[in-house]
């Protein structure tokens, strides 16, 4: 599993950070997503990545 | 003679039970999930009741938030148009790319980390208000003692608006959101608040500091050589109104709901990690700001199998979407452990609530502190006698008498 983030679509809602702060962060400046760990390992981290993709309001996250 | 279009309902529909959406939503979703409805403004629009359709509409680039568009669905009689000074849209009324730029300028102020940094100060504000509540007479009105002052103080400090003026701007805000006032009264409240914030921003421009959001925005714009006074007034206006009315109502509604569901309240008391999931469930159950998810189509677009034509208004009935059984099993059951984070109570798409993480932080601190410090708190009147806000664009409670 690989997390792909499109910062152009990101609206800075921070939903991904709330889902898993080990996978995601936000830029201090404009709040856009920073992927801390693009290749989550383990069932819990993978589930969190899927949740983050599902609830991202800007649909800025996808999985490959 | 013009044809009268056939509509299935006239919005807004009223909640019959204070804890549930209008019962007609279920029928609409089952029989005609995307249907033509009438509006108090005399317009007709599409109403969406399925969660997936609402998400799809709100994330489509072919729907505009421009409230100046004559086809934009209005839930109150049309506002008077001002001829002397054109209306300057704030974030909620802008479209990309202008909206994207304006949101990027300010969204850094509302990141999860920035909100965490506010935690100690919010805790202090909550503690002081609960001290005062405990020292005062019983019963007490929780709206005046806690629900309204906490988010109001927090947004004032964050923005740099003097809290001492709260009677004034709370009165303006409540007028603007009421469905019971005339268009003239609403416009007067709007203009008085706009004038107040115009003067406040002017003062800050003369002496801008890093101490508050407005000051930081002024300095940021100045550095970029793009000072825009009117945009800042619009931003201050939006954040001040949105920052206290919504959270205040969720504090009151949440308190009532948790007290009415002692089994669920016991779970939060036993495990503070359950407070945030409970807040998501409360946001879903009530969906207090339904009109924020209205749009107008800018192209012919198919949503959920229905063709919506350019120029037609659409109301995403987010409270209906949040009770869609395809999105939430047994949607009318209040279950703090259901995992409700995909609700659309904060909207969806590019306009999703800017202050959502501030709201979560405030609600979390309030509920954790209130039930810990006043374990015997109870509602002082029968629940069916509570004054729920059926007359406002933002649902909530006018008062909440409590004792302990």
């Amino acid at each position: 599993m690989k997390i792909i983030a499109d910062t152009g679509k990101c609206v800075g809602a921070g939903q991904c950070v709330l889902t898993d702060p080990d996978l995601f962060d936000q830029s201090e400046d404009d709040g856009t997503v920073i992927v801390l760990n693009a290749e989550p390992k383990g069932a819990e981290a993978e589930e969190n990545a899927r949740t983050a993709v599902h609830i991202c309001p800007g649909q800025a996250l996808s999985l490959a | 003679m013009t044809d009268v279009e056939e509509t299935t309902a006239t919005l807004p529909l009223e909640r019959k039970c204070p804890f549930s959406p209008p019962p007609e939503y279920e029928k609409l979703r089952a029989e005609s999930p995307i249907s033509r409805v009438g509006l108090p403004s005399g317009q007709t629009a599409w109403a969406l009741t399925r969660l997936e359709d609402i998400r799809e509409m709100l994330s489509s680039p072919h729907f505009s938030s421009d409230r100046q568009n004559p086809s934009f669905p209005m839930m109150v009689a049309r506002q008077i148009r001002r001829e002397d000074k054109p209306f300057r849209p704030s974030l909620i009324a802008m479209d990309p790319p202008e909206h994207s730029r304006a949101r990027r300028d300010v969204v850094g102020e509302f990141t999860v980390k920035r909100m965490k940094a506010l935690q100690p100060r919010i805790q202090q504000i909550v503690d002081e208000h609960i001290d005062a509540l405990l020292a005062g007479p019983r019963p007490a009105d929780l709206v005046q003692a806690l629900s309204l002052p906490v988010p109001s103080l927090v947004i004032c400090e964050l923005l740099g608006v003097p809290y001492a003026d709260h009677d004034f701007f709370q009165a303006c805000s409540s007028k603007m959101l009421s469905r019971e006032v005339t268009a003239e009264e609403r416009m007067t409240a709007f203009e008085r608040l706009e004038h107040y914030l115009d003067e406040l921003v002017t003062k800050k421009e003369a002496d801008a500091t890093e101490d508050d959001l407005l000051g930081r925005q002024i300095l940021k714009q100045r550095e970029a050589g793009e000072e825009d006074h009117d945009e800042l007034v619009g931003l201050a206006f939006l954040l001040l109104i949105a920052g206290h009315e919504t959270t205040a109502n969720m504090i009151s509604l949440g308190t009532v709901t948790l007290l009415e569901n002692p089994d669920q309240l016991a779970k939060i008391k036993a495990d503070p990690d359950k407070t945030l999931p409970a807040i998501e469930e409360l946001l879903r159950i009530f969906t207090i700001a339904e009109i924020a998810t209205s749009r107008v189509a800018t192209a012919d677009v198919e949503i959920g199998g229905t063709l919506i034509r350019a120029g037609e208004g659409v109301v995403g009935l987010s409270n209906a979407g949040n009770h869609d059984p395809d999105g939430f099993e047994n949607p009318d059951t209040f279950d703090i452990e259901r995992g409700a984070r995909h609700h659309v109570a904060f909207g969806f798409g590019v306009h999703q609530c800017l202050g959502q993480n501030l709201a979560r932080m405030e609600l979390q601190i309030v509920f954790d502190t209130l039930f810990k410090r006043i374990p015997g708190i109870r509602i002082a009147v029968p629940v069916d006698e509570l004054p729920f806000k059926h007359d406002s664009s933002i649902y909530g409670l006018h008062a909440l008498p409590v004792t302990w």
Side-chain angles (χ1 to χ4, degrees), chain A residues 8-54:
Chain A
K9 286 172 121 184
C10 177
V11 299
Q15 292 292 294
C16 52
V17 186
L18 272 190
T19 310
D20 194 333
D22 292 332
L23 297 182
F24 304 97
D25 198 358
Q26 283 171 284
S27 137
E28 297 263 336
D29 182 38
D30 63 6
T32 52
V33 58
I34 296 168
V35 180
L36 297 174
N37 175 5
E39 291 178 29
K41 298 276 187 301
E44 195 188 340
E46 289 188 7
E47 184 55 33
N48 287 347
R50 272 188 285 271
T51 300
V53 170
H54 182 54

Side-chain angles (χ1 to χ4, degrees), chain B residues 66-359:
Chain B
D66 177 8
R67 280 150 175 78
Q68 292 299 94
N69 184 322
S71 301
F72 190 90
M74 303 300 268
M75 288 296 183
V76 289
R78 278 242 156 239
Q79 292 286 9
I80 306 156
R81 283 182 191 271
R82 292 192 299 184
E83 303 300 334
D84 57 325
K85 191 179 171 202
F87 179 79
R88 183 71 189 269
S90 68
L91 274 178
I92 55 161
M94 289 175 170
D95 291 322
E98 201 193 359
H99 170 265
S100 320
R101 197 258 324 140
R103 182 168 171 128
R104 284 268 161 101
D105 280 349
V106 73
V107 74
E109 295 274 353
F110 292 92
T111 61
V112 173
K113 258 190 210 156
R114 291 291 284 270
M115 296 304 102
K116 278 216 177 101
L118 293 178
Q119 191 171 5
R121 176 60 186 140
I122 301 174
Q123 183 69 57
Q124 189 184 18
I125 290 172
V126 171
D127 281 330
E128 285 168 6
H129 283 78
I130 292 181
D131 288 344
L133 179 68
L134 285 167
R138 282 176 266 181
D141 178 9
L142 198 77
V143 171
Q144 295 304 326
L146 190 73
S147 310
L148 201 49
V150 168
S152 199
L153 252 165
V154 172
I155 197 66
C156 281
E157 288 190 8
L158 180 64
L159 276 179
V161 171
Y163 182 70
D165 298 332
H166 70 278
D167 282 342
F168 164 74
F169 54 72
Q170 281 166 4
C172 293
S173 161
S174 152
K175 271 254 159 63
M176 278 184 283
L177 294 170
S178 174
R179 289 188 179 129
E180 305 289 301
V181 302
T182 63
E184 285 84 359
E185 286 177 287
R186 201 174 295 119
M187 183 53 95
T188 303
F190 177 94
E191 286 184 335
R192 289 184 66 202
L193 185 55
E194 188 187 50
H195 178 70
Y196 169 81
L197 291 170
D198 192 342
E199 288 195 332
L200 182 76
V201 170
T202 303
K203 258 187 247 161
K204 287 193 179 288
E205 281 162 344
D207 185 23
T209 69
E210 287 278 344
D211 297 344
D212 55 60
L213 185 150
L214 289 172
R216 288 189 290 273
Q217 290 291 311
I218 291 166
L219 294 173
K220 202 168 160 180
Q221 288 187 349
R222 199 166 284 169
E223 201 183 332
E226 296 166 351
E227 278 194 73
D228 190 334
H229 174 85
D230 288 350
E231 181 170 308
L232 284 176
V233 174
L235 182 69
F237 196 103
L238 175 70
L239 296 180
L240 185 61
I241 300 283
H244 71 273
E245 277 285 343
T246 47
T247 311
N249 286 315
M250 280 311 301
I251 291 173
S252 303
L253 293 169
T255 301
V256 172
T257 309
L258 289 165
L259 288 173
E260 286 293 291
N261 291 272
D263 56 323
Q264 307 273 314
L265 178 57
K267 288 182 187 176
I268 300 177
K269 284 182 171 175
D271 179 3
D273 283 349
K274 296 208 164 131
T275 308
L276 263 182
I279 289 166
E280 301 301 335
E281 177 68 345
L282 288 166
L283 290 162
R284 179 190 76 84
I285 283 278
F286 287 107
T287 317
I288 61 171
E290 194 160 65
I291 55 161
T293 42
S294 300
R295 301 286 186 270
V296 58
T298 55
D300 292 358
V301 195
E302 201 179 289
I303 297 285
T306 298
L307 179 69
I308 294 171
R309 293 191 183 279
E312 290 179 333
V314 184
V315 182
L317 289 172
S318 44
N319 196 13
N322 278 339
H323 289 78
D324 180 349
D326 285 343
F328 306 93
E329 203 177 327
N330 298 320
D332 295 331
T333 304
F334 175 62
D335 173 6
I336 67 166
E337 291 179 286
R338 73 160 64 242
R341 289 191 56 213
H342 55 300
H343 66 73
V344 287
F346 286 125
F348 196 67
V350 298
H351 287 280
Q352 196 182 50
C353 178
L354 187 66
Q356 57 183 292
N357 293 314
L358 177 58

